[in-house]
Amino acid sequence: MLRVIRIVKVGKVCDSLQVVALTLLISKNALFLLVFLLCEGILVFSTFVYYAEQPNSYFAVQDQTWYTYRADGEVVASKFQSIPGCFWWAVVTMTTVGYGDVIPNSLLGRLVGMCTMFSGVLAVALPTMLVGNNLEVAKSKFISMRNRAQRRKWRLSTSNPNPNDDCGDRQSSSPSSCMEQFASQWVPAPTLRSKLWCLLEPGTPKPNVRYVYGCYVCAVVLAFLILTSLISFCCSTLTSVYANRVHGAFWNKAIYMIEEITLTLFWLELIVRFICCPDRKAFVSDLLNLVDFFAV
């Protein structure tokens, strides 16, 4: 099987494949946006269709399976057994492939399916357009890189080696220097309240480089907590876990502890941000803060 992968060596002698690879490299932000939109849509619409099919279904404790009523009155095993089990349906529907192996039976589930299709078209079309626009940029950059390599080879062949001379095409800039330049234009935060606000709110001005890195660390930790909470929420809809809940054990101990810890940290983060914010009226009226409050 690994022999097939050797076909990528053709890219060394094919300029078109190199341009495509450079296009994908330049478009990494657009591709990341595509993956993020698809993952977010898959999670959201899987949750919606799972609960949309619940009123038309019942859970059999004996075999730990959800059963649903079809339009003709026949009782069959539901295709939407859990939120992770709905991921396949969400992927097929968002990409408008539509195999037809998993379809919702209720009217509400079909409405969710329509919204999933339209959202999938937008989520795929917008980043794809950005990748297409970067094709010309990658082509011109590839030609420029090839011309610089040819000039460097000619200088070496004429006994005038100067590999660092790229005819003014190279500009040296490191991420750390850019971050220092970004942070140097802000005034240091004098109080503990403003310092915490700088760390917890990514869009605020940062007094120095340490606050920039600290804000990144806080954002990564918060994203990890959100993903952990979403994973535990999806796992709680698995049929085996749901069966334990029916028998009296609400969740198993691990999922329950994860929910308690993440919920406590989310409350703490929201309260600290509310106390430290400079304008509490604007904080309360912000849509994302309202989403955080109702989610917690």
Side-chain angles (χ1 to χ4, degrees):
M1 184 179 64
L2 296 178
R3 297 178 182 177
V4 182
I5 305 178
R6 291 189 296 180
I7 196 173
V8 298
K9 296 173 64 178
V10 180
K12 294 182 179 180
V13 295
C14 183
D15 293 344
S16 299
L17 292 179
Q18 294 183 25
V19 171
V20 172
L22 186 59
T23 303
L24 296 178
L25 183 62
I26 296 176
S27 307
K28 57 181 181 296
N29 293 331
L31 296 175
F32 175 78
L33 176 63
L34 174 62
V35 174
F36 176 77
L37 291 178
L38 288 177
C39 293
E40 185 177 10
I42 289 169
L43 180 61
V44 170
F45 289 112
S46 297
T47 304
F48 285 174
V49 75
Y50 173 76
Y51 285 105
E53 292 293 312
Q54 289 297 311
N56 198 34
S57 306
Y58 70 93
F59 186 74
V61 182
Q62 293 78 10
D63 51 359
Q64 299 182 4
T65 305
W66 284 97
Y67 289 94
T68 185
Y69 297 95
R70 297 176 59 179
D72 55 0
E74 183 181 358
V75 178
V76 295
S78 176
K79 299 292 186 179
F80 306 97
Q81 294 292 327
S82 62
I83 293 179
C86 299
F87 287 171
W88 170 252
W89 172 87
V91 171
V92 172
T93 307
M94 288 194 69
T95 54
T96 64
V97 176
Y99 287 119
D101 54 344
V102 180
I103 57 174
N105 293 319
S106 64
L107 177 61
L108 185 58
R110 293 177 181 178
L111 292 176
V112 173
M114 293 174 58
C115 297
T116 307
M117 297 175 196
F118 294 139
S119 302
V121 170
L122 294 177
V124 174
L126 294 178
T128 304
M129 182 177 61
L130 297 177
V131 175
N133 293 334
N134 288 333
L135 183 61
E136 290 296 327
V137 178
K139 185 177 180 181
S140 60
K141 187 174 181 179
F142 176 77
I143 294 175
S144 177
M145 292 169 58
R146 187 171 58 181
N147 292 337
R148 286 202 305 267
Q150 291 178 355
R151 288 197 301 266
R152 188 182 299 112
K153 184 177 180 180
W154 178 81
R155 286 194 298 268
L156 292 174
S157 63
T158 55
S159 301
N160 186 19
N162 190 6
N164 294 325
D165 184 14
D166 285 341
C167 299
D169 293 334
R170 180 181 299 176
Q171 296 180 354
S172 61
S173 62
S174 61
S176 59
S177 62
C178 294
M179 297 184 69
E180 291 177 358
Q181 183 179 2
F182 172 76
S184 61
Q185 56 183 327
W186 306 114
V187 180
T191 62
L192 178 62
R193 176 180 169 183
S194 58
K195 291 179 180 179
L196 291 175
W197 179 251
C198 288
L199 289 175
L200 297 177
E201 194 67 21
T204 57
K206 304 297 182 290
N208 51 49
V209 182
R210 291 182 300 175
Y211 285 89
V212 177
Y213 285 110
C215 183
Y216 285 161
V217 172
C218 293
V220 170
V221 172
L222 183 61
F224 174 77
L225 292 176
I226 293 175
L227 291 176
T228 304
S229 177
L230 290 176
I231 292 173
S232 64
F233 170 70
C234 294
C235 292
S236 66
T237 61
L238 296 174
T239 54
S240 57
V241 179
Y242 192 87
N244 292 331
R245 181 169 62 179
V246 171
H247 285 302
F250 183 72
W251 279 342
N252 59 46
K253 189 175 181 180
I255 296 180
Y256 181 78
M257 289 181 61
I258 291 175
E259 282 293 321
E260 290 295 325
I261 293 174
T262 54
L263 184 62
T264 303
L265 293 177
F266 287 150
W267 268 118
L268 180 63
E269 185 262 347
L270 186 62
I271 293 174
V272 171
R273 288 176 60 243
F274 177 75
I275 294 175
C276 299
C277 68
D279 189 357
R280 295 181 180 176
K281 184 177 180 180
F283 181 88
V284 173
S285 60
D286 191 359
L287 180 60
L288 294 179
N289 294 328
L290 292 177
V291 171
D292 287 340
F293 175 76
F294 287 108
V296 171

